[in-house]
Amino acid sequence: MSWIDIGAIDDIPLRGARKLRTHLGCVAVFRTDRDEVFATGGTCPHRGGPLAEGIVHGRAVTCPLHNWVFDLETGQARGEDASIPTYPVRVERGRILIDATLLRRAAA
Ligand code: FES
C-alpha cells in the first residue's frame, strides 16, 4: 500500500462527510458517530448524486438525491444492483491517509 495524506480528521464532523481532492481525483470521506473513517467514490451510480452531501448513519450514507443507501465498508447499495468504489483509509496523528494504490487503479 502507498498512503497519501488527504486532510485533517478535525475538518470532518462526527456523522459528517467531505469531498476531498487528491492528485488522483476526488473522494468522499465519511466520519461515523463512532469515529470510524471511510473513503468512497464521490458520485452516486444512480444519477450522479454528490455522496459527500449525503446523510451518514451508522456505517452507511444516504444519497441526497433519491435516498439510495450505501454501505460505507463494502460500497454496496442496499436493495439495488449497484455499488461505489471503496478505498482503505486510516487516521494517524489527526491526519487522514488513503491508499493511493487503489486510487491510481480507479483513475486509470
Ligand atoms: S442520484 Fe443517488 S439515489 Fe439517485
Side-chain angles (χ1 to χ4, degrees):
M1 290 188 181
S2 160
W3 299 97
I4 55 173
D5 185 321
I6 56 171
I9 187 66
D10 287 346
D11 290 342
I12 306 175
L14 291 174
R15 284 174 308 197
R18 290 287 182 275
K19 181 178 175 181
L20 297 178
R21 291 180 199 287
T22 77
H23 65 284
L24 297 167
C26 291
V27 294
V29 181
F30 304 89
R31 186 177 180 190
T32 72
D33 57 356
R34 293 188 175 188
D35 215 9
E36 298 171 295
V37 177
F38 295 94
T40 73
T43 304
C44 179
H46 180 220
R47 292 199 184 162
L51 293 175
E53 296 175 24
I55 296 170
V56 178
H57 47 97
R59 295 175 128 201
V61 62
T62 296
C63 178
L65 294 192
H66 312 99
N67 298 326
W68 281 20
V69 177
F70 295 90
D71 184 303
L72 292 173
E73 193 165 20
T74 65
Q76 182 64 46
R78 292 184 188 159
E80 306 289 344
D81 185 21
S83 63
I84 52 177
T86 59
Y87 306 106
V89 284
R90 67 179 208 234
V91 177
E92 212 172 275
R93 291 187 209 106
R95 304 296 298 180
I96 304 165
L97 307 176
I98 191 167
D99 179 11
T101 312
L102 292 180
L103 272 181
R104 259 186 215 106
R105 275 190 219 140

